Amino acid sequence: MQQKGSEDSVPIEVAPSTMTTESPTQQQQRTPRPSDWEHAKILMKKNLRVDCTQRRLVFVRTFIGPLMLLLWTFGIFFNYPDQNGTATSSSSAAAETASVGDYIFYPGENWTYPASIVLAVSEDSIDFEAEAAEDFLSTMQSLLDPYVSSVQLLNETSVNGNATSEEECNTVISGSSDTVCVSFLSASSYHIIFDGMPNTELSPSHPVLAGTQQLVNTAILNASGVENLYDANNIQHTPDKVFLYQKGKAAPTGLLITPGMLLSLAFAIGGMFVLGPMVNEKLQLVVDSLLLVGVKRRVYMLQWVAYYSLSSGILTAIALTLVSIFWNLYPMSNAGLIFLSHYLAIVQFNLMASFISQIVNQEELATGLPWLLSFVSMAIAAPLILLDTVRWLLFIFSAVLPYVAAMTYSAIYTNYDVWGWNTGVHPGSNVAESGILAVTVAQIVGIGLWICTICVYSHLLERRPRNSPGGGESISPERSHRKDAFEDLPSDADVVLSMRDVLHTYPGSGYFRKTDPTPVLKGFDLDVCRGECFGFLGHNGAGKTTTIKVATGELHLQGGQVTYNFAAGGSVQLSDDIDISNVQANIGVCPQGNIAIGKFTARETLDLFASLKGRVVVDEGQSYEDAIAAEVQRRIQDLKFEEGIVDKPVETLSGGMKRKVAIATALLGDPQVIFLDEPTAGCDPFSRRQVWELII
C-alpha cells in the first residue's frame, strides 16, 4: 500500500503495527476498562501527586486571592466609628434572629445606655387608647428601670397647651447629652428624639442611640411575652426602610461597588494559578495523550473542576470568608452564607477556566483572559448595581460570569452590613428579601450551564460532521481504486486495519491574510494485517502523522472509511455514531511528542497510563495494584531501561529516554494495533537498535 502523491521517499519514519498476535497471554483474565468515574478519580489522584511536588505553588494558588483582597481593602471602608472616632468592630450576628415590625434584632457590643429616658405616646398613634397607652408606658417603664437611672413618663396630662409629644420631648431633652425621648407610634414602632451631638449629623450607630434601641426593643419583646427568647443587644432598620427614612438618599457608590470590584480582581489573580496548569498540560500534549488511552474530553475537563473545587477551592472560600468578616467587609452577615457565596463563585470560575483552557492555544492569552473578563464584568455589573432597576438582568449575568456574581453578592452584603445599619443577611430572616437567595440560585444555575457547555463542547468535538474545510478536492471512484496502485492481499489475509479513500484538508489560517486550505490526504488507502509490521515513507509534510491522527480518532474523519477488525470486539468503523474512546482503548499510540507530566518519573508515568487504559493481565490471586505494577515492570524490561532511569523525572531524561517512555506507554495493555510515529527520533544508535529489535 502507498499514499498517492508521495515523492522523494526517505527511510521509515512511521510504523503502525500489530506487534502482538493472538496468544495464551491474551486469553488470560484482564482488568476491565475503567469507567468515566474511575478515569476522573485516577486523574484527580494525578493532580494531587503533581501538587505534592510543588507545595509553594499550591499555597499561592489557594491564598493569593484572599491575601490580595486583604491588602487591597485594608479594612478602611467598613470599620465602624465609635464615640471617640476610632474604629471598633461589631461582633457577628447570632445564628438566630428575631424581627418586630421594620426592625431586626441581633447581638452587638460597645453600646452606651442613656442616663435618662423619657417615654411618650405619639399623637399620631392610632393603636393606643388613653388607658391602654398608660398601661403600655407603665409596663415599659418597669422593664427599663433596672438599666436606666431615670425613666419618666410623658403622657397627655403633662403636655403643655397644644404642644405635641414630640415638641414636648424636645423641650425635656434640650441641652442634655445623656437624655433621650422615645415616642411610640405603636407597640412595635417608635421615634427616638436625641440632642446629644449638637451641630453633628447623628447616625443610628451612635452608641447612645444604639443602646437606647437595644433597651427599648428588648423591653418590647419582653412585654410581648417572649422574654429571654432572644438575647438582643441591638436593633436596626432594614435597608429598604433606611432608604425611606433617609428621604431617598442613595448609598455611596464606593461603598457598594468598591469591595465587589476588589473581590473580582482577587478572583482574577487567583485564576491565573488555576488556569496555568490546565493550559500547560494542553500545550505539552498531555491532554492528547490522555485522550488516546480512552479518557473522554469532558471527563478530563470536569475532573479539573472537581479537584480544584474540593481541594484548594474550599480553603480559598474559608479564607475569603474570614477576611470578609474579621476585616470588616461584611462582619454582621451569617458566615455560612458568605462562605456559600464565595464557594459557588469559585466553582463557577473553575468551570469557566476549564473551558477556556481547551479553546485557547496561547499560554499568554489564557493567563490574560481572567483579567480581561474581570474588567468586562466590572463594566457590566457596576451600572446595574447602582441603578438597581433591572435586577433580573444582573442575575442573568451572574449565572454566566462568576465575577458579576461576586460583585452582586458583595454589594448586597455591604448594603445590609453597613448601609443597612448593621443588620446583616441571615438565613430565615432576610436572605430572600435581600437578594442573596436570588444570586445563589443564579450561581447554581450558572454552574449547571457551564457543565452543560463543557459537555456540549466535548460532544461536538467527538461528533463533528464530516466535511472538508475549504472544499477539498473530491476523489472519483476510478482514481481512488486503481488496481495498479495496490498489491493484492492473500486470500486468507487477516486485515486488522483498513483505510479507504481517506480525505483530510487543513483549513486556512489567519484573520487578515487568510491562507488557502491545504489538502493533505487525497484518497488514502491502507490495509494492515494482524501480526504484520508495516511502515510507510514520505517526505516532510506528506501526511504521515495526519494519517495516524485520523486513524486513531485524534483528527476527525472528513471523508472515506477507517475500519478496525478487533479480535474480541469485531469490526468497528470510525463514524460519528461510535464512542471513539472504545476504539482508543484497544490501540496504542506513540505520538511524535514526548510525554512529561509534572515531576512524574518514568515509572509513575507508565503506572498512570496503565491505570487509565486498563486491559492489564491479572494473574490468579493478584490484586489490581499488583497487576498494574507487573505490567509496568514488563514494559520497562521490554525497552531495556538502564537501572535507575525509570525512577527519575521524565522531564530530566534525555530525548532518547523520553522516546522510550512514549513507546512503553503505547505497549501498555497489549493493544491489538500500535501506531509508532518516529519512535527512534532522538535515540542514540544503541537505543535505536533496541527499539528496532522490539518492533521487528
Side-chain angles (χ1 to χ4, degrees):
M1 273 38 73
Q2 66 178 3
Q3 180 184 351
K4 303 176 182 63
S6 296
E7 299 178 356
D8 302 329
S9 297
V10 296
I12 295 177
E13 293 184 354
V14 186
S17 170
T18 58
M19 294 167 55
T20 57
T21 59
E22 292 290 330
S23 66
T25 301
Q26 292 180 318
Q27 305 302 322
Q28 292 177 322
Q29 183 180 359
R30 293 180 177 271
T31 59
R33 177 176 173 241
S35 63
D36 291 345
W37 172 242
E38 290 169 334
H39 275 160
K41 290 193 295 184
I42 293 170
L43 291 174
M44 290 172 68
K45 289 180 181 178
K46 180 265 295 183
N47 298 337
L48 179 60
R49 291 165 68 180
V50 172
D51 279 349
C52 288
T53 64
Q54 45 190 20
R55 295 182 180 88
R56 292 181 181 177
L57 179 61
V58 175
F59 180 84
V60 172
R61 183 180 69 218
T62 303
F63 297 109
I64 186 65
L67 178 61
M68 296 310 298
L69 181 63
L70 187 75
L71 295 177
W72 285 333
T73 57
F74 284 105
I76 60 176
F77 296 105
F78 314 112
N79 286 338
Y80 298 102
D82 66 7
Q83 198 168 8
N84 300 319
T86 58
T88 58
S89 173
S90 301
S91 64
S92 60
E96 195 176 0
T97 59
S99 60
V100 175
D102 299 336
Y103 301 92
I104 291 179
F105 294 80
Y106 71 98
E109 61 185 17
N110 301 325
W111 313 130
T112 301
Y113 295 157
S116 177
I117 295 180
V118 178
L119 302 178
V121 172
S122 173
E123 69 281 350
D124 296 329
S125 172
I126 60 175
D127 295 343
F128 292 119
E129 295 181 358
E131 184 176 351
E134 290 184 6
D135 292 341
F136 176 76
L137 291 179
S138 297
T139 301
M140 296 298 293
Q141 182 182 30
S142 64
L143 293 171
L144 294 173
D145 270 336
Y147 304 99
V148 182
S149 59
S150 174
V151 180
Q152 305 175 33
L153 299 183
L154 181 66
N155 52 34
E156 293 295 334
T157 61
S158 63
V159 174
N160 298 321
N162 296 322
T164 64
S165 59
E166 280 78 5
E167 291 173 343
E168 186 67 17
C169 276
N170 286 325
T171 301
V172 172
I173 67 172
S174 177
S176 175
S177 62
D178 56 0
T179 300
V180 299
C181 183
V182 180
S183 178
F184 287 94
L185 302 173
S186 67
S188 61
S189 181
Y190 57 87
H191 291 161
I192 296 178
I193 303 170
F194 178 51
D195 192 29
M197 296 178 65
N199 304 319
T200 303
E201 183 179 357
L202 294 178
S203 69
S205 60
H206 185 278
V208 172
L209 288 180
T212 302
Q213 292 180 80
Q214 181 270 319
L215 285 175
V216 173
N217 287 282
T218 301
I220 289 175
L221 286 179
N222 294 341
S224 303
V226 291
E227 184 176 1
N228 298 325
L229 173 66
Y230 182 75
D231 182 19
N233 287 330
N234 196 21
I235 177 174
Q236 302 290 356
H237 285 294
T238 54
D240 56 334
K241 300 299 178 183
V242 172
F243 185 78
L244 294 177
Y245 295 145
Q246 293 293 329
K247 300 179 181 179
K249 181 180 178 182
T253 301
L255 195 64
L256 277 180
I257 67 173
T258 300
M261 295 174 69
L262 296 176
L263 180 61
S264 178
L265 293 175
F267 272 111
I269 194 170
M272 295 171 54
F273 296 91
V274 171
L275 195 57
M278 300 182 189
V279 177
N280 182 65
E281 284 201 351
K282 180 183 180 182
L283 298 180
Q284 296 297 325
L285 305 180
V286 174
V287 178
D288 295 337
S289 300
L290 295 174
L291 298 178
L292 289 174
V293 295
V295 177
K296 296 178 181 176
R297 189 179 297 273
R298 64 176 176 271
V299 173
Y300 173 80
M301 296 172 69
L302 292 177
Q303 64 85 24
W304 271 116
V305 178
Y307 175 74
Y308 279 142
S309 300
L310 295 176
S311 56
S312 57
I314 293 179
L315 296 177
T316 302
I318 292 175
L320 286 172
T321 302
L322 294 176
V323 172
S324 300
I325 294 175
F326 294 103
W327 204 238
N328 289 338
L329 300 184
Y330 355 102
M332 308 310 299
S333 291
N334 181 267
L337 285 178
I338 297 174
F339 170 82
L340 180 62
S341 299
H342 286 321
Y343 185 68
L344 291 178
I346 289 171
V347 175
Q348 270 187 293
F349 181 86
N350 290 340
L351 284 162
M352 183 182 69
S354 180
F355 180 75
I356 291 175
S357 69
Q358 298 303 304
I359 63 175
V360 175
N361 295 320
Q362 295 181 356
E363 189 171 4
E364 296 79 5
L365 178 60
T367 54
L369 271 178
W371 294 97
L372 177 62
L373 292 174
S374 177
F375 292 126
V376 171
S377 299
M378 291 180 193
I380 294 173
L384 295 177
I385 291 173
L386 296 177
L387 291 175
D388 197 28
T389 55
V390 283
R391 286 192 176 185
W392 60 270
L393 187 59
L394 189 62
F395 294 145
I396 290 177
F397 280 112
S398 296
V400 178
L401 294 171
Y403 300 106
V404 176
M407 290 188 64
T408 303
Y409 69 68
S410 177
I412 292 174
Y413 285 128
T414 301
N415 194 26
Y416 271 70
D417 270 67
V418 182
W419 192 246
W421 297 352
N422 312 341
T423 60
V425 181
H426 303 280
S429 174
N430 55 1
V431 68
E433 73 175 43
S434 65
I436 285 296
L437 180 60
V439 177
T440 301
V441 171
Q443 288 179 286
I444 295 174
V445 171
I447 290 173
L449 289 175
W450 276 111
I451 292 176
C452 291
T453 300
I454 289 175
C455 292
V456 170
Y457 172 75
S458 176
H459 179 79
L460 291 177
L461 288 184
E462 295 170 358
R463 301 288 189 270
R464 197 160 46 186
R466 293 188 181 191
N467 60 359
S468 183
E473 181 181 355
S474 61
I475 305 299
S476 64
E478 294 79 8
R479 179 182 173 186
S480 61
H481 292 291
R482 290 183 302 171
K483 293 296 184 180
D484 58 353
F486 301 95
E487 176 184 349
D488 292 332
L489 293 173
S491 57
D492 59 346
D494 184 7
V495 178
V496 67
L497 171 62
S498 176
M499 303 178 70
R500 289 290 180 270
D501 292 337
V502 175
L503 305 174
H504 193 83
T505 299
Y506 287 105
S509 59
Y511 295 100
F512 302 104
R513 292 186 176 181
K514 192 173 182 65
T515 59
D516 295 331
T518 305
V520 178
L521 301 180
K522 299 179 287 186
F524 181 84
D525 290 1
L526 173 71
D527 287 324
V528 178
C529 297
R530 197 177 308 279
E532 177 183 10
C533 178
F534 180 85
F536 62 98
L537 311 177
H539 57 77
N540 292 337
K544 304 179 296 297
T545 298
T546 300
T547 301
I548 291 180
K549 289 185 175 182
V550 170
T552 59
E554 189 176 350
L555 290 178
H556 282 266
L557 186 62
Q558 296 176 352
Q561 294 181 347
V562 176
T563 305
Y564 287 94
N565 297 301
F566 295 126
S571 179
V572 179
Q573 182 174 320
L574 298 189
S575 67
D576 295 336
D577 300 326
I578 70 163
D579 186 354
I580 191 63
S581 62
N582 292 328
V583 174
Q584 292 168 336
N586 288 281
I587 63 177
V589 183
C590 171
Q592 274 188 331
N594 297 318
I595 305 170
I597 303 176
K599 300 292 184 180
F600 271 34
T601 65
R603 188 186 299 276
E604 290 171 337
T605 301
L606 295 177
D607 182 88
L608 170 66
F609 280 92
S611 301
L612 291 170
K613 191 168 188 178
R615 292 181 45 82
V616 173
V617 174
V618 181
D619 294 333
E620 185 176 354
Q622 194 175 39
S623 66
Y624 175 82
E625 291 76 12
D626 291 340
I628 295 294
E631 173 71 7
V632 170
Q633 186 61 33
R634 182 156 66 101
R635 298 313 174 189
I636 290 174
Q637 294 174 353
D638 288 342
L639 272 298
K640 297 181 174 59
F641 280 96
E642 299 177 7
E643 185 177 356
I645 289 294
V646 293
D647 295 317
K648 293 182 178 180
V650 174
E651 64 180 7
T652 65
L653 301 181
S654 64
M657 290 296 105
K658 290 179 180 178
R659 293 308 292 162
K660 280 190 173 184
V661 174
I663 296 172
T665 302
L667 300 178
L668 293 169
D670 296 316
Q672 299 185 46
V673 181
I674 302 175
F675 297 89
L676 304 175
D677 193 348
E678 300 184 7
T680 59
C683 292
D684 58 80
F686 181 73
S687 297
R688 185 180 296 115
R689 174 61 63 180
Q690 288 180 328
V691 173
W692 288 348
E693 291 176 353
L694 176 65
I695 295 175
I696 298 174

